[in-house]
Amino acid sequence: MDKEEYERVNNPVEIARLLDALGGAQGATLVMEETGKPFPVLIQALEHGDSLTLNLDAVREVVPLLARGESFRLTGHSEGKLTRTPPLGGLIAANDDKRCWRCDYPLHLERLQRRASFRARLRLGMVAAAEVSVGDSEGDSEGDSEGDSEGDSELLQGDLLDLSVDGCQLILPQPAARLLRSTQLPLNLTLCFPDGTRLAVKGSPQHYRIEQERRVVRSGFHFSHPSVDQQRELWRLVTEIERESARIGEGLESRRPPSTLFQFASEASQASLGRRQSDPYPTPMTARLALVAGYLDAQALELVHGGHIDGAQLSQQADRLLALLEEDREAVLFALRCLTRESWPVRHGLAVAVRLVDLAGVKLPRDLLKAMAASAMIHDLGKVLLPESLALVPTFGEAERRQLASHVDLLRQRMRGCRWLADSVFEAVACQLNERLDGSGYPNALDADALRELARASAVVDAVDAMRHQRIDRAAWRIEAIYRYLVDHPEKFDSAWVKRYIQRFGLHPVGSLVRFEEGDLGWVLGLNDQGRPSRICLHTSQTPPTEMPRSPLTGAILTGSQLADLGRPSGEIAVGA
């Protein structure tokens, strides 16, 4: 057994048996020895002791490499363990159309003994949820949770990050840290997949790490004595995750059908999956917008793991965002303010995308609006690649400013998968919205002569949303103070776009909390043609809240004469997320 804990199999009979298993319905994976890149293949035929015939029709792009003599391994699962061949080569065509290729028969195989060391990681576009609770859900361990009655009723919902037959890694909401610190007992884990598959198993927390920027906890679990049936289902899930991950990695050229494990029956089923189900959003539109936020959150995690922006996913989610905006503009504007659970780069990116498209107007070509939305959605994701300590610095010096500005180039380097996105739009929106007319912005200190109209508009939208939210060094600004600041600094912000923004979104924007002359508080849900509140949700107390609503709105919806009875708005209450 070597340092990676692979056991060498030399018995010819056992080699033949294991290769037969790899040639079964589950198939095998071809892994390039030099790069480690996996490709799904089929073992077409076995001539024991002589050769293997591989069907490479679905991965023809790898054939030239193999034909030049580059070595590879075949890997797969058999009898509950990961099996691999030694490096193979000498590939020759087995038929005229060159779909099947013959290679040497392996003289030995290697089997991985430590199964927990092999984890199948979910890639961007693969969604699976996890439920974590304390207590004996099946009633077979009476007395295990004594003294923790409060924990018995606690249910945490998160996302599955990776899976093996021995354990898994989950992304949980930040309050999970308290539970993970306090328990020494196995927890109830339920893995939930889009097709309806659910697997319940016990798991003991092994480690956890709080990610401050994303406001989540990454935690590893070890499964506690899974049954034979549970192990069998775990291997099936691991295999499906591997295959879907390989298919996504192949991109648009993949000829393999998507795994049914990750196919949703409807948007409603998608909305009900994952941690967002445990704490309903204030409005139905907020829940729908949270699906786009979930994509951005997953994309941010992919960047942290060294991945790139997925062009196909970004295109799909930009279309979804535009469709929501076209369906109900004011509902989306209110929902933006209610996305308080997501990380700052995610909710800020969505807010800038929606308001920039809305400010630009629907008369622009849809392809341009889509490119603007996509660029704005991801413009701050490069910040997840910066040190977490930077987010906790209350006052920036020159060194911190340079480090912050680097997030633009970090994002640029991860854009190679977005060929559909116009470079000029991406540069103006994602890379220049922090520039200022007087050259005091970043990352390149461009001045007015170098900034296009789209960059000028983006700068106004970005600044308004940033000042609307509280930071570690200051509270949230009231909208009138923000407008005054922008108007008073024409050397930094384009006055024409500032004026258009104020006219478009009004002195009491949708999503703001307003106090009326009679003393009542109300959330603005809609504006009339004069920019005044035309529909509000009455706040249930005359004491201003300290944060945006986190649960479904319960106040009365007032319009017309009922709203008029409250008197005129007397001022906004600044509420930061």
Side-chain angles (χ1 to χ4, degrees):
M1 192 178 297
D2 63 19
K3 63 181 180 180
E4 293 182 294
E5 298 191 74
Y6 275 96
E7 181 183 27
R8 186 177 174 119
V9 178
N10 295 308
N11 186 297
V13 175
E14 191 170 0
I15 291 173
R17 180 169 53 81
L18 293 175
L19 288 175
D20 282 335
L22 291 184
Q26 290 187 346
T29 299
L30 183 150
V31 180
M32 300 301 297
E33 183 71 0
E34 183 175 347
T35 64
K37 188 173 182 179
F39 299 90
V41 299
L42 294 175
I43 300 179
Q44 192 81 14
L46 292 168
E47 296 183 22
H48 296 299
D50 182 34
S51 65
L52 303 178
T53 301
L54 308 178
N55 187 325
L56 303 179
D57 185 48
V59 288
R60 294 191 176 188
E61 69 273 16
V62 77
V63 170
L65 300 176
L66 298 175
R68 288 200 300 265
E70 293 196 22
S71 60
F72 63 93
R73 294 177 186 263
L74 296 177
T75 68
H77 296 127
S78 58
E79 300 179 356
K81 294 181 181 178
L82 183 66
T83 301
R84 73 180 186 185
T85 68
L88 302 175
L91 214 64
I92 59 174
N95 52 24
D96 293 336
D97 61 6
K98 296 185 179 181
R99 293 185 178 183
C100 295
W101 294 74
R102 186 177 292 114
C103 67
D104 293 336
Y105 190 88
L107 299 180
H108 72 272
L109 294 178
E110 298 167 353
R111 305 195 71 188
L112 186 63
Q113 300 301 300
R114 189 176 59 188
R115 296 175 297 174
S117 65
F118 176 77
R119 291 186 178 273
R121 187 171 72 86
L122 279 70
R123 298 184 59 154
L124 181 63
M126 301 166 64
V127 180
E131 299 174 351
V132 181
S133 63
V134 177
D136 182 12
S137 61
E138 299 177 359
D140 56 359
S141 303
E142 185 175 355
D144 283 352
S145 303
E146 184 177 355
D148 194 12
S149 58
E150 180 182 355
D152 289 343
S153 60
E154 185 170 7
L155 176 67
L156 297 170
Q157 292 188 297
D159 297 315
L160 178 66
L161 183 60
D162 60 40
L163 180 67
S164 77
V165 293
D166 276 353
C168 63
Q169 194 168 191
L170 306 181
I171 299 294
L172 297 169
Q174 194 164 344
R178 176 181 58 83
L179 173 63
L180 298 175
R181 279 195 301 265
S182 62
T183 184
Q184 300 294 324
L185 302 172
L187 302 175
N188 299 317
L189 308 180
T190 303
L191 307 182
C192 314
F193 292 85
D195 71 338
T197 296
R198 293 174 66 89
L199 175 63
V201 64
K202 295 277 190 178
S204 300
Q206 301 296 296
H207 58 82
Y208 70 91
R209 175 189 173 191
I210 299 175
E211 298 183 4
Q212 295 288 355
E213 178 60 37
R214 298 177 62 225
R215 296 192 291 182
V216 297
V217 176
R218 184 194 302 237
S219 178
F221 290 84
H222 178 76
F223 296 141
S224 303
H225 309 295
S227 67
V228 173
D229 288 341
Q230 287 173 326
Q231 289 187 35
R232 186 180 296 113
E233 179 65 359
L234 283 167
W235 269 124
R236 184 185 77 83
L237 296 175
V238 168
T239 301
E240 284 295 304
I241 292 171
E242 284 184 273
R243 292 192 176 281
E244 183 66 3
S245 179
R247 186 189 70 84
I248 292 175
E250 294 164 11
L252 298 176
E253 298 178 356
S254 178
R255 300 182 183 180
R256 303 178 65 241
S259 169
T260 58
L261 188 67
F262 295 97
Q263 292 182 355
F264 290 98
S266 64
E267 187 178 85
S269 66
Q270 184 174 355
S272 67
L273 184 67
R275 64 179 179 271
R276 299 171 182 87
Q277 180 186 15
S278 63
D279 190 7
Y281 280 96
T283 67
M285 182 60 79
T286 313
R288 297 172 68 187
L289 193 62
L291 299 178
V292 186
Y295 148 72
L296 288 174
D297 191 54
Q299 178 64 85
L301 184 61
E302 190 75 7
L303 294 181
V304 171
H305 281 280
H308 291 73
I309 299 293
D310 187 303
Q313 290 275 342
L314 179 60
S315 174
Q316 179 185 2
Q317 297 299 331
D319 280 330
R320 169 177 279 176
L321 189 64
L322 291 181
L324 293 177
L325 189 57
E326 292 165 358
E327 177 184 328
D328 193 334
R329 169 184 177 266
E330 290 183 331
V332 173
L333 291 173
F334 186 82
L336 288 172
R337 294 280 288 159
C338 297
L339 289 179
T340 57
R341 309 169 204 173
E342 287 69 20
S343 67
W344 170 249
V346 169
R347 50 196 166 96
H348 179 56
L350 281 176
V352 173
V354 168
R355 293 196 177 95
L356 179 61
V357 169
D358 192 60
L359 178 64
V362 296
K363 293 183 179 180
L364 293 178
R366 183 177 175 84
D367 287 348
L368 175 55
L369 293 175
K370 177 179 176 178
M372 291 164 54
S375 300
M377 286 165 63
I378 62 173
H379 83 271
D380 251 5
L381 289 192
K383 289 182 178 178
V384 303
L385 303 175
L386 299 176
E388 291 186 8
S389 58
L390 191 64
L392 303 177
V393 177
T395 304
F396 275 18
E398 187 59 33
E400 288 79 11
R401 289 191 183 93
R402 285 197 302 269
Q403 193 172 33
L404 175 65
S406 69
H407 79 84
V408 178
D409 281 333
L410 291 174
L411 178 63
R412 266 201 204 97
Q413 296 165 15
R414 307 296 183 95
M415 293 298 296
R416 68 185 185 192
C418 298
R419 297 173 184 172
W420 66 270
L421 185 57
D423 290 341
S424 59
V425 177
F426 175 76
E427 283 296 318
V429 175
C431 304
Q432 296 180 5
L433 84 176
N434 289 302
E435 303 284 3
R436 297 294 178 258
L437 300 181
D438 60 359
S440 62
Y442 73 83
N444 297 316
L446 301 178
D447 60 18
D449 293 336
L451 294 176
R452 303 174 184 175
E453 286 297 311
L454 190 51
R456 295 164 180 247
S458 301
V460 172
V461 177
D462 177 76
V464 173
D465 189 69
M467 288 188 277
R468 288 281 273 169
H469 292 82
Q470 66 186 29
R471 295 192 322 202
I472 189 173
D473 60 334
R474 61 157 176 81
W477 287 33
R478 293 194 303 168
I479 193 65
E480 61 186 70
I482 296 173
Y483 288 164
R484 187 181 306 113
Y485 178 87
L486 298 180
V487 170
D488 290 345
H489 290 81
E491 77 282 4
K492 295 181 180 293
F493 300 97
D494 189 296
S495 297
W497 282 109
V498 171
K499 182 179 179 180
R500 285 187 62 176
Y501 189 99
I502 296 173
Q503 291 174 339
R504 181 60 175 164
F505 298 104
L507 297 177
H508 304 292
V510 172
S512 58
L513 180 66
V514 174
R515 186 180 293 280
F516 293 85
E517 289 178 329
E518 296 299 318
D520 297 285
L521 294 173
W523 299 102
V524 177
L525 303 179
L527 301 176
N528 59 22
D529 294 338
Q530 290 74 43
R532 297 173 182 172
S534 61
R535 187 164 57 96
I536 71 158
C537 176
L538 201 61
H539 185 55
T540 54
S541 170
Q542 292 194 350
T543 301
T546 58
E547 60 182 9
M548 294 297 296
R550 287 177 171 263
S551 56
L553 298 176
T554 58
I557 307 298
L558 303 184
T559 60
S561 60
Q562 291 178 316
L563 178 56
D565 291 341
L566 301 182
R568 297 174 63 86
S570 60
E572 182 202 11
I573 306 296
V575 181

